[in-house]
Amino acid sequence: MRRWRILALLLVALAVALVALWIGRPRPSLVTAGLEVPPPGRWRTLPVERRSGSGGGSAEERARMLSLPYAAGTQRARDGAQTGVVALDVAKAAPGINLEVSGHGPEAVLRSLDGALLGRWKMPFERAFPEQSPNVETAFFRRAALLPEGRLIALYQTGGLVELDRSSAILRRCPGSFYNDFFVAADGTLWTLAKEARPGSEGREVLEDFAVALAPGDCREVQRLSLPAALAASPFAAVLEPRGEAGDVYHSNTIEVFDGRLASASPLFAAGHLLVSLREIDTLAILDPSDGEVLWAQRGPWRRQHQPTPQADGTLLVFDNRGFQGASRLLTVDPASGDLPWQWGGDPPRAFFSREAGSVQRLTNGNLLVTESERGRAFELDENGQVVWEFQTPHRAGRDGSLVATLMEVVRYPAALWEAK
């Protein structure tokens, strides 16, 4: 009897060990060569057909399955943490109002500098596009922009664009497989980013990224420019290698259209030129959409960057997500020389870090408005690198509300844009 008891105990111990090995086994990553393996929980679990690109459907539908998603939240919320505006130096902060979007829901919130609520727009994807199937990324706005008369344009990742009036009534809908960013040009043309799945190696698929122009006032597509094809045909083709062999190998995440005001600083900034960021190949590029010519491109030394934007001194301001000892920094790059004239990072480096997303905006007084997305934080830096305004999102994400909602972006606008009716 005792031998049988010992044998039973040994079998239980063996079962426990096997379970532990199963739990601790290496997890399959996204089938995209060259991508860093993200920490557990950061990306949602993907079905086999999404990881391999073996699913059916149109090129746009397969692109939705293969694109790298942004998470609604990644950081554990701390009990009792202060939220809202936690710091404000009225004398040093740039005037204006702040528009915020986050992973908590399909909503944009407008606040004064001291945090008072001014306006709110909310539109569930299912109501805006009832003919489409929602997914985890259409559950919130990825980007939003404030327009005159209190109108708002918002982007549902992979799902489309919607324009709302001051009371959140729908003015226009632009269905489409759009991603990450959009920009309203001076003539009203709405530029955004799209992806299509293309055959790759070993039966897998590669996503091709496009800059897409939608006509002013409606959603007619008037231009579609392949970003990798333009780069491949340019003197800057070397930025494409090395790249992943399958999946979301470019991941364009920013598009801006120059209005010509800074053309005297650099001819690259001439009216109508496009500035784009391709995260997975650490590349920034400026194109002339009239003929698809790439005028300038550079790969790194930034890593997984977001939100490049032109400056009056002829440089580009960049949110560099992972190029500062593995943490984030802000920097400027001179397209003429490739040098980095200025940079700012956390001390210690991890004091400022957003692995994904993030943005930076030059304000009217020269200060910088920074969104440290994954920590749900936005702050304003003066010329001495001092924080003169700081905001911690009150919104939460996750099934049990235990995560800080990813603060996708905070943008400052002139107060007159909201006050004028």
Side-chain angles (χ1 to χ4, degrees):
M1 179 65 71
R2 184 173 180 180
R3 275 186 295 175
W4 284 111
R5 187 177 300 168
I6 293 173
L7 180 60
L9 290 173
L10 289 174
L11 289 173
V12 169
L14 179 60
V16 170
L18 288 173
V19 169
L21 287 172
W22 172 257
I23 293 174
R25 75 195 188 287
R27 298 302 202 273
S29 63
L30 297 177
V31 186
T32 306
L35 288 182
E36 297 176 83
V37 178
R42 184 171 300 274
W43 305 104
R44 64 182 182 272
T45 302
L46 302 180
V48 172
E49 65 271 14
R50 177 153 185 173
R51 295 197 302 267
S52 64
S54 60
S58 69
E60 288 190 350
E61 289 170 340
R62 298 197 308 277
R64 291 187 187 101
M65 297 179 66
L66 289 167
S67 65
L68 293 173
Y70 286 94
T74 64
Q75 308 293 309
R76 184 70 58 180
R78 293 182 290 112
D79 292 338
Q82 189 176 4
T83 62
V85 175
V86 298
L88 173 59
D89 187 332
V90 176
K92 294 183 179 180
I97 52 180
N98 294 319
L99 182 72
E100 64 194 59
V101 291
S102 80
H104 77 280
E107 180 178 66
V109 179
L110 189 67
R111 303 182 195 271
S112 63
L113 281 187
D114 62 5
L117 179 66
L118 299 175
R120 189 189 301 271
W121 298 259
K122 188 170 185 177
M123 180 54 60
F125 178 78
E126 294 85 346
R127 190 187 308 169
F129 298 98
E131 70 281 5
Q132 294 190 46
S133 298
N135 59 59
V136 294
E137 288 184 278
T138 59
F140 52 85
F141 292 159
R142 172 64 180 95
R143 300 270 191 175
L146 182 62
L147 303 179
E149 303 172 353
R151 293 175 292 128
L152 182 94
I153 295 181
L155 169 68
Y156 302 95
Q157 185 84 336
T158 79
L161 290 147
V162 64
E163 182 176 346
L164 307 175
D165 71 7
R166 200 179 185 96
S167 61
S168 294
I170 296 176
L171 297 175
R172 64 168 165 159
R173 307 180 313 134
C174 300
S177 186
F178 302 136
Y179 294 80
N180 298 325
D181 199 15
F182 66 90
F183 194 92
V184 183
D187 65 354
T189 301
L190 185 58
W191 283 89
T192 187
L193 299 164
K195 302 175 189 287
E196 293 180 12
R198 298 283 186 258
S201 61
E202 300 180 0
R204 297 178 293 178
E205 292 188 311
V206 172
L207 296 189
E208 183 175 5
D209 290 37
F210 296 85
V212 175
L214 305 178
D218 60 42
C219 301
R220 289 180 299 109
E221 184 176 313
V222 294
Q223 186 173 359
R224 178 170 287 238
L225 175 62
S226 169
L227 299 177
L231 284 165
S234 78
F236 307 97
V239 301
L240 295 171
E241 303 296 344
R243 60 187 165 189
E245 296 178 356
D248 199 355
V249 298
Y250 304 109
H251 194 80
S252 53
N253 59 25
T254 309
I255 185 166
E256 182 169 345
V257 186
F258 300 152
D259 59 12
R261 285 181 293 179
L262 299 179
S264 60
S266 170
L268 292 174
F269 300 166
H273 289 175
L274 302 179
L275 170 63
V276 296
S277 164
L278 296 98
R279 194 196 78 158
E280 290 303 295
I281 56 172
D282 303 327
T283 292
L284 306 177
I286 296 174
L287 303 88
D288 183 348
S290 66
D291 57 9
E293 181 184 3
V294 178
L295 305 172
W296 171 84
Q298 183 172 329
R299 184 169 190 164
W302 47 84
R303 297 190 64 245
R304 304 306 192 252
Q305 75 291 333
H306 287 74
Q307 207 63 45
T309 190
Q311 305 295 289
D313 62 358
T315 64
L316 297 173
L317 176 65
V318 184
F319 189 107
D320 178 10
N321 289 73
R322 308 185 205 171
F324 183 50
Q325 301 178 43
S328 300
R329 61 177 171 173
L330 310 174
L331 59 83
T332 58
V333 55
D334 182 352
S337 65
D339 295 337
L340 309 182
W342 173 88
Q343 63 178 314
W344 179 91
D347 184 17
R350 288 267 171 168
F352 173 55
F353 183 43
S354 186
R355 184 181 177 88
E356 313 296 342
S359 71
V360 58
Q361 176 190 7
R362 179 73 68 180
L363 301 176
T364 54
N365 66 351
N367 289 355
L368 296 176
L369 179 60
V370 185
T371 306
E372 191 179 7
S373 294
E374 291 195 326
R375 290 176 176 169
R377 177 186 182 222
F379 58 95
E380 180 179 343
L381 293 174
D382 69 9
E383 60 181 4
N384 298 315
Q386 299 300 308
V387 174
V388 298
W389 175 88
E390 185 175 351
F391 173 80
Q392 293 281 348
T393 182
H395 297 298
R396 296 294 178 255
R399 293 180 180 178
D400 57 357
S402 63
L403 302 176
V404 175
T406 302
L407 190 58
M408 297 299 173
E409 188 177 29
V410 174
V411 181
R412 188 159 301 170
Y413 290 92
L417 192 61
W418 173 248
E419 294 165 355
K421 295 184 180 180

